[in-house]
Amino acid sequence: MSRHVAIVTDSTAYLPARTMERHGITAVPLTVVLGDRALEEGTEISTRSLAQALQKRKPVTTSRPGPEVFAETYRRTAEAGATGIVSLHLSAELSGTYDAAVVAAREAPVPVRVVDTGMIAMALGFCALAAAEAAEAGGSVDEAVTAAEKRAVGTAAYFYVDTLDYLRRGGRIGAAQALLGSALAVKPLLQLADGRIEPLEKVRTASKAIARLEEIAAERAGAAEVDIAVHHLAAPERASALADRLKARVTGLTELHVSEVGAVIGAHTGPGLLGVVVSAR
């Protein structure tokens, strides 16, 4: 059997379905708990349904896949011909997904390297793509992991949210920070730093915050060759306009993705989210 390294990630990578199919990437779904119903991200709950639930202040939580889900994924992947697997996941600071994958990897029928990328959304997606491209070029498990880790180092993610309340509810940001933002009636900009969602700046109005988000992303890109993803939740017009401005402004832009985030991220950020991922090639 020829060497074949397979790439597994999770549903928070938000890779386009066509891209995943083209590169043979498998995504293990996280779960969104809406009231008393546990629903798989990507197949059983739409972002529209999530946004409506959040706006009605219905209880929404998220949970990791169990180790048994990863074990089944690794088994099927090995049966399909993989002789090694690279399993790349969202930041362990934000979810127990990485830990569940580690448990399953111990009993997998082929070697599995589980990687905490420290990323989320297309910041994770770009890492998975880098690993897949390395594997397609004949690279080993170690070489695919190195490609993903190198991509992570050159990737930054920035977010605008209408309110910090959803992040506070989900325990992803401190209550004091959320209260301060509400008290000052500011619009927060956030960043992914060391695998955590951290405050970046506070801006007085939504329009100024989005303009500042654009400026920060363009400064990060500089003149380098980069891929950019613009994410949103229930804000397609804002996302499209921001993407158009970045396309005109970033001279080294190679690929531009615009997509709505799934239910897992949406549950913690709320409607109105805008995110920009800048990833150096």
Side-chain angles (χ1 to χ4, degrees):
M1 181 185 293
S2 62
R3 180 175 64 189
H4 169 51
V5 175
I7 308 302
V8 172
T9 187
D10 59 67
S11 59
T12 68
Y14 302 135
L15 284 162
R18 278 176 159 182
T19 301
M20 290 179 60
E21 187 176 347
R22 184 167 68 248
H23 293 281
I25 300 170
T26 301
V28 174
L30 274 72
T31 300
V32 177
V33 182
L34 189 58
D36 59 355
R37 299 168 62 211
L39 306 167
E40 282 190 357
E41 181 175 44
T43 57
E44 296 180 337
I45 180 169
S46 68
T47 50
R48 185 185 186 89
S49 298
L50 171 79
Q52 290 172 343
L54 291 173
Q55 286 163 346
K56 294 176 181 176
R57 300 188 72 81
K58 291 184 177 179
V60 180
T61 58
T62 59
S63 66
R64 70 178 191 181
E68 67 280 359
V69 180
F70 280 106
E72 175 63 16
T73 300
Y74 297 153
R75 183 188 63 76
R76 287 200 315 265
T77 303
E79 287 177 353
T83 56
I85 298 170
V86 177
S87 199
L88 300 152
H89 300 293
L90 79 159
S91 171
E93 294 281 349
L94 301 175
S95 168
T97 301
Y98 167 80
D99 295 329
V102 169
V103 171
R106 294 175 187 144
E107 305 299 327
V110 297
V112 179
R113 283 280 301 279
V114 183
V115 180
D116 171 13
T117 65
M119 300 283 129
I120 197 166
M122 272 298 291
L124 168 58
F126 286 132
C127 293
L129 280 175
E133 288 165 358
E136 288 163 7
S140 64
V141 165
D142 286 346
E143 288 167 333
V145 169
T146 297
E149 290 176 338
K150 183 178 179 182
R151 193 70 187 257
V153 169
T155 298
Y158 308 102
F159 307 95
Y160 159 81
V161 291
D162 277 333
T163 172
L164 290 171
D165 191 43
Y166 298 103
L167 284 162
R168 179 195 58 77
R169 283 191 229 167
R172 265 58 180 190
I173 200 165
Q177 292 169 332
L179 182 62
L180 179 62
S182 300
L184 294 176
V186 296
K187 295 298 183 181
L189 293 178
L190 310 167
Q191 65 178 336
L192 196 59
D194 298 324
R196 298 183 296 273
I197 295 173
E198 301 282 358
L200 179 60
E201 294 182 8
K202 295 184 179 75
V203 186
R204 283 291 179 183
T205 66
S207 59
K208 288 181 180 179
I210 294 168
R212 182 62 182 141
L213 179 65
E214 173 191 340
E215 186 177 346
I216 290 168
E219 287 173 356
R220 171 72 188 207
E225 188 177 346
V226 297
D227 295 328
I228 290 179
V230 176
H231 290 304
H232 72 92
L233 180 63
E237 295 85 4
R238 275 180 175 178
S240 179
L242 176 58
D244 287 344
R245 293 194 300 272
L246 286 170
K247 187 175 182 180
R249 186 168 180 172
V250 177
T251 58
L253 182 61
T254 302
E255 288 188 15
L256 176 64
H257 302 264
V258 182
S259 64
E260 191 163 31
V261 298
V264 169
I265 290 182
H268 294 293
T269 59
L273 163 77
L274 274 182
V276 181
V277 176
V278 181
S279 183
R281 281 184 165 251

